[in-house]
Structures are given as C-alpha cells and as structure tokens.
Amino acid sequence: MSAKQTSSARNRTERAIVTAAVRVWARDRAATLPQVAEAAEVGRTTLHRYFPERDGLLRAATERALEVIGGAIAEADPDKGHPLDAMRRVIAALASASDAIMFVFGDQSLVRDVAPTIEPDLPAPHDPVIDLIRRGQAEDVFDDQLSAEWIQQVLWGVTYTAFEQVERGALAKFDVTATVTRTLEQGVTATAGAHPRSEPKP
C-alpha cells in the first residue's frame, strides 16, 4: 500500500471513530471508549492508537460536531431568498444534523472549552443565522421587538427539544422540520379561524 493510500485509510478510520463518538455521546455522555469503538466498528486497540485519551477524542468530536452544524447551515444558503423561506431551509438543515446538535447542546461547556469563539448558540461576527434573523426583522418578516439573539436561542432550544422528543419516541424524525417550523412561525396559539373551547376569564 502506498503512503497516500495509507494516509487515506488512516483518515477514514479517524473520521469513523470521531463520527461514532458524536453519535454515541449525543445519547449517552457517560459512554465508554470501548462503546465508541464498537459503534465505529474498530477494535479498542485501534481506537487507542488514534485517541489514547478520552479528552482527545472528546475535543475531536466537538470540533467535528461544530463543523457539521456550520456546514449544514451554510448549505441552507440563509443569505438568499425570502427570510421565511431561508429560515425554513435552515430548520431543515439543522434537522439533518441532529446528532451533532444533541452532542454539542447536551453539554455547552464542550464548546466553551474547545472553540469559544464559534459557539453556534451565541451571537458572533457574521453569524449566518443572526444575519438572517436581522434581515428578516428589517423586512418586517420577523418580530423586531425581540432581539435577534433571543430568536436564535428559541430556534436552538426548540430544535434541541424536538430531537429529544424523537429519542423518546414521542415525535417521528420526519416530523421534526414541520414541528419546529410550525412552532416558530405560529407559536402555541390556535390558528386563525379556530374556535377555542373556552374563553379566557377576564
């Protein structure tokens, strides 16, 4: 095997381990390295050769999760089209990155320790989601009486909750995008024209 082929194989193995770590730790932060190795379909010796310490794998998994989230948002093209359509694309993109989001938001200290300047849930220069929200506010699409940061926090919170519901079997995975979108766009009040069962007391 050539040096190039060897390097490529090593990269694939390392990526498989890191991806498995994100998937496993998204659901069980206490999962052991042997459990991660099993999920990655590699031996324990192989895993320890790439990541001798748990902290090293934890850092690599966090960096990978942030890359996945950032890449999903970028592919949604949040700076293009009507703000509402763009937000719907972002929500759909986030739904495709459920493992990464569950992993990162399950313990936000991971992000602070690994990449404090690119936290996905905090406003940062050129944050594409914040930029989208502010563009929507300027175009009277999103409520400008709320801060862009607050709206973004609600987006992350509702999305994370939807993924939790999927894990508990309370929500179908294919319903995540529609459920999050409906919640953000309509809140929890009845739709226009609906008749409430009882009137609020004065």
Side-chain angles (χ1 to χ4, degrees):
M1 183 179 292
S2 68
K4 183 176 181 180
Q5 289 174 320
T6 300
S7 177
S8 178
R10 286 183 59 83
N11 289 339
R12 286 196 301 271
T13 300
E14 182 174 350
R15 177 61 64 90
I17 293 171
V18 172
T19 300
V22 172
R23 185 172 65 252
V24 170
W25 284 335
R27 291 160 178 80
D28 181 8
R29 195 52 53 87
T32 64
L33 292 184
Q35 288 175 298
V36 173
E38 182 179 356
E41 299 183 347
V42 301
R44 299 182 188 183
T45 301
T46 298
L47 185 146
H48 283 286
R49 187 163 61 247
Y50 284 88
F51 298 99
E53 302 293 337
R54 182 186 178 92
D55 286 348
L57 180 53
L58 193 60
R59 183 180 185 85
T62 304
E63 291 174 345
R64 175 58 182 161
L66 291 173
E67 288 175 2
V68 170
I69 296 170
I73 292 173
E75 289 182 7
D77 291 326
D79 58 335
K80 297 179 181 178
H82 190 278
L84 200 56
D85 292 334
M87 181 60 78
R88 290 169 179 169
R89 292 196 303 272
V90 167
I91 293 170
L94 293 178
S96 72
S98 58
D99 285 345
I101 292 174
M102 289 288 287
F103 173 69
V104 169
F105 283 86
D107 182 358
Q108 298 232 343
S109 66
L110 292 175
V111 186
R112 289 192 294 270
D113 292 342
V114 174
T117 61
I118 55 174
E119 289 189 62
D121 63 321
L122 295 179
H126 309 300
D127 183 316
V129 177
I130 288 290
D131 290 345
L132 165 59
I133 294 169
R134 289 175 176 159
R135 179 164 68 89
Q137 290 174 319
E139 297 179 21
D140 294 325
V141 176
F142 303 138
D143 189 349
D144 63 3
Q145 297 304 301
L146 300 172
S147 71
E149 292 75 19
W150 171 259
I151 295 175
Q152 186 189 48
Q153 289 284 350
V154 171
L155 168 63
W156 288 115
V158 173
T159 302
Y160 183 87
T161 300
F163 296 150
E164 284 189 319
Q165 292 293 302
V166 171
E167 290 299 314
R168 294 171 183 170
L171 180 67
K173 189 172 183 178
F174 60 79
D175 283 334
V176 167
T177 299
T179 299
V180 173
T181 300
R182 182 184 180 91
T183 302
L184 288 176
E185 293 183 9
Q186 299 183 16
V188 296
T189 57
T191 56
H195 298 286
R197 295 182 179 180
S198 61
E199 295 294 330
K201 295 180 180 180

